[in-house]
Amino acid sequence: SGLLLVNDRVDVARALALEAPGRVGIHLPERALPPSTVRAPALGPGWHGPLGRAAHLGGAEGGPKPHERRYLHYLFLGTLYATPSHPGRPGAGPEALARWLGEAAPAPPVVAIGGITPERVAPVLEAGAWGVAVLRGAWDGVTAPGGGDPVAAAEARARAFLAALAEARASRKAHAPQPEEGEQAVELMINGEPRTVPEGTTVAGLLERLELL
């Protein structure tokens, strides 16, 4: 019942999707083929799985070009904080993420990666990320010698991240602009999150409420 993302190998993803339609996706590295090339000619009209890509803030590629973003279901964006996975590369920080999102709008849901810990989830989501991804952050304290039961430690680490995500999303929702008293409200789903706006809100008004204008 889960979702499997295949890194880079379009042929493997297509073969697996024949057995599990809609439950297999493709994750493109930063220097892979453009999303438009992968989505249309390579996958074909019968493809129903997600297509995502990785990019680095401030990198030479500068993230996917505007005309390519419409093919993406999500975008992994980093490196937010310094991490041993990328030695010598300083973290861009939440401020750089917020600037990129402001300049790149509209953009697919962004999953922030790079040095993410439970304590750093809130500022990353406040900057506009939809979610976070972790590698080393999931293993910290799990593989250390004398760390006890690694399964229990991994489960505790996962609970810490899920709790941090839930708290950050609840805080963002609580501080989002709300319709004034007496206004009719409309519920929208934006980047996987529910938002409430006054009835009759224009596209420009919606972007302003989302602080994209």
Side-chain angles (χ1 to χ4, degrees):
S1 61
L3 175 66
L4 173 66
L5 293 176
V6 178
N7 189 58
D8 198 23
R9 290 293 299 273
V10 177
D11 56 338
V12 173
R14 288 188 63 183
L16 292 172
L18 294 175
E19 302 296 328
R23 289 163 52 190
V24 178
I26 298 177
H27 181 77
L28 299 174
E30 185 171 24
R31 299 185 182 279
L33 291 171
S36 58
T37 302
V38 174
R39 176 63 186 88
L43 296 178
W47 177 262
H48 301 293
L51 175 62
R53 184 185 169 186
H56 285 95
L57 283 165
E61 299 295 320
K65 302 298 184 287
H67 68 280
E68 295 286 348
R69 294 179 197 138
R70 65 190 182 96
Y71 295 97
L72 296 173
H73 294 89
Y74 69 87
L75 178 65
F76 268 41
L77 206 55
T79 301
L80 266 293
Y81 298 93
T83 170
S85 302
H86 295 283
R89 177 179 291 168
E95 298 81 6
L97 172 61
R99 286 195 302 271
W100 188 91
L101 286 168
E103 296 168 357
V110 166
V111 178
I113 190 170
I116 304 294
T117 64
E119 297 76 20
R120 290 169 172 171
V121 168
V124 168
L125 262 64
E126 287 173 7
W130 177 83
V132 297
V134 296
L135 293 174
R136 183 174 297 273
W139 290 105
D140 282 350
V142 175
T143 57
D149 183 359
V151 175
E155 290 175 345
R157 192 68 173 170
R159 287 194 297 270
F161 273 105
L162 291 174
L165 277 168
E167 183 177 353
R169 286 173 172 164
S171 175
R172 185 163 68 178
K173 184 178 180 181
H175 291 88
Q178 298 295 321
E180 296 182 5
E181 186 176 355
E183 288 183 320
Q184 294 295 320
V186 177
E187 293 286 340
L188 301 175
M189 189 68 71
I190 301 175
N191 287 350
E193 294 188 23
R195 298 293 182 96
T196 303
V197 298
E199 187 177 23
T201 299
T202 63
V203 173
L206 175 61
L207 292 176
E208 186 174 359
R209 281 178 170 269
L210 297 175
E211 298 181 353
L212 297 177
L213 282 182

